[in-house]
Amino acid sequence: MEGLEVTVLLGLTILVGTLIAPRVRLALPLVLVIFGLLLGFVPPLREVQLPPETVLLLFLPVMLFWESLTTSLRSIRRDFRYILPMSTLLVVASAFAVAGVGVLFGMPWEIALILGAAVAPPDATAVAALGRLLPRRMFMKLKAESLTNDGTALVLYAIAISLAVGGDVTPLSITWTVLVSYVGGVLAGAVIAALAYLLLRRSTSTAVINVTLLLVPFTAFLLAEIMHASGVLAVVVAGLVIAYVSPRITTASSRRQSEAAFPFGVYLLNGALFVLIGLEVQY
């Protein structure tokens, strides 16, 4: 199918899902995934595929940035003693549990661990879309954990890949991978946020402010990828810093514009992503 036809189809599916979800009392993401599954039975639509780089380069930075902008730093500080083990120990335990099940089904241990590392960390956009019915404090814990668990998953994934290709995994190499993933991601996000701060404090133009904000997640993700660090963590750190300093470096009109545009854009990206996930299940 042509790109324009796919775009129209995705828009119509999101519209129908938005109308139907409240009537059937199901979460909108679940309804959109079901619609995607049903659309997958249409032969021409089976040609529609979602390239992984599209998720990484288009969907993920914007959605993560918005979620980090709307995450309470006060809540993170208050519940940090819960968030830290959830984003590290729990991810490791989940990865090994998935790997254990994979081994039971006959998968090689190294390949099973790669699968476990890939699926263990909860996705921030899924938590944001599905967790809003939870009590606010619990929702903020899950949201903060989902925004920070990527570093752990990236380390596990790198270790699993090394084991699969016969590489040496030593305590020193694991420590280095952890440092690069976490420290590199935090540093990349902080550097981009600092540069954005220097630019934004000198501008009063609504267009300049919001274009700069739009570039922040993509630039932070790119810098982290160059450093072989966690792009997700870089975007989250940049978003948290920008959220903290935003009242001092943005104008009221720019905030009104971004608070209207960002949620709607994320809503459309989220909807399209869930429909495409349903389509991809056919493969």
Side-chain angles (χ1 to χ4, degrees):
M1 295 186 71
E2 297 295 332
L4 182 58
E5 295 172 345
V6 173
T7 302
V8 172
L9 180 63
L10 287 174
L12 289 173
T13 306
I14 295 170
L15 176 60
V16 174
T18 303
L19 292 171
I20 290 179
R23 298 178 183 275
V24 297
R25 297 183 179 180
L26 290 175
L28 178 60
L30 181 58
V31 172
L32 294 178
V33 169
I34 293 172
F35 280 172
L37 284 169
L38 295 176
L39 290 173
F41 288 102
V42 180
L45 295 179
R46 293 179 183 175
E47 302 174 2
V48 178
Q49 297 187 28
L50 181 61
E53 59 271 16
T54 302
V55 177
L56 288 176
L57 301 179
L58 178 62
F59 288 80
L60 196 59
V62 175
M63 293 189 289
L64 283 173
F65 188 63
W66 176 248
E67 292 304 326
S68 60
L69 283 177
T70 55
T71 299
S72 169
L73 277 174
R74 181 179 298 177
S75 298
I76 292 177
R77 288 196 297 267
R78 181 187 61 203
D79 295 321
F80 186 73
R81 65 184 183 276
Y82 302 112
I83 294 168
L84 181 61
M86 287 170 62
S87 62
T88 53
L89 299 178
L90 189 58
V91 173
V92 172
S94 300
F96 277 93
V98 172
V101 174
V103 170
L104 291 177
F105 281 92
M107 295 177 66
W109 168 250
E110 296 84 357
I111 304 302
L113 186 57
I114 293 174
L115 176 64
V119 303
D123 178 67
T125 57
V127 171
L130 298 172
R132 298 190 184 276
L133 297 179
L134 296 172
R136 177 171 176 77
R137 186 169 180 177
M138 184 180 296
F139 172 63
M140 290 305 299
K141 286 182 185 178
L142 290 175
K143 186 176 177 182
E145 186 274 335
S146 67
L147 289 170
T148 56
N149 58 25
D150 180 72
T152 305
L154 186 61
V155 171
L156 274 175
Y157 189 79
I159 293 172
I161 291 292
S162 296
L163 292 173
V165 300
D168 293 329
V169 177
T170 64
L172 183 60
S173 67
I174 294 175
T175 302
W176 176 249
T177 305
V178 170
L179 287 175
V180 171
S181 178
Y182 275 97
V183 178
V186 171
L187 183 61
V191 167
I192 297 302
L195 292 175
Y197 174 80
L198 293 175
L199 176 61
L200 292 174
R201 66 183 297 190
R202 291 172 170 81
S203 177
T204 57
S205 168
T206 298
V208 170
I209 290 173
N210 285 329
V211 170
T212 302
L213 290 179
L214 184 61
L215 284 173
V216 165
F218 297 105
T219 312
F221 199 97
L222 175 61
L223 180 58
E225 287 292 300
I226 293 173
M227 298 169 61
H228 301 288
S230 169
V232 170
L233 196 57
V235 174
V236 169
V237 169
L240 291 174
V241 173
I242 294 296
Y244 181 74
V245 301
S246 178
R248 299 193 295 274
I249 60 174
T250 59
T251 62
S253 60
S254 69
R255 287 194 294 272
R256 284 195 298 269
Q257 187 179 82
S258 63
E259 287 171 3
F262 259 104
F264 182 64
V266 170
Y267 180 84
L268 292 178
L269 288 176
N270 245 328
L273 184 59
F274 282 112
V275 175
L276 291 170
I277 287 172
L279 279 170
E280 288 288 305
V281 171
Q282 293 288 339
Y283 297 94

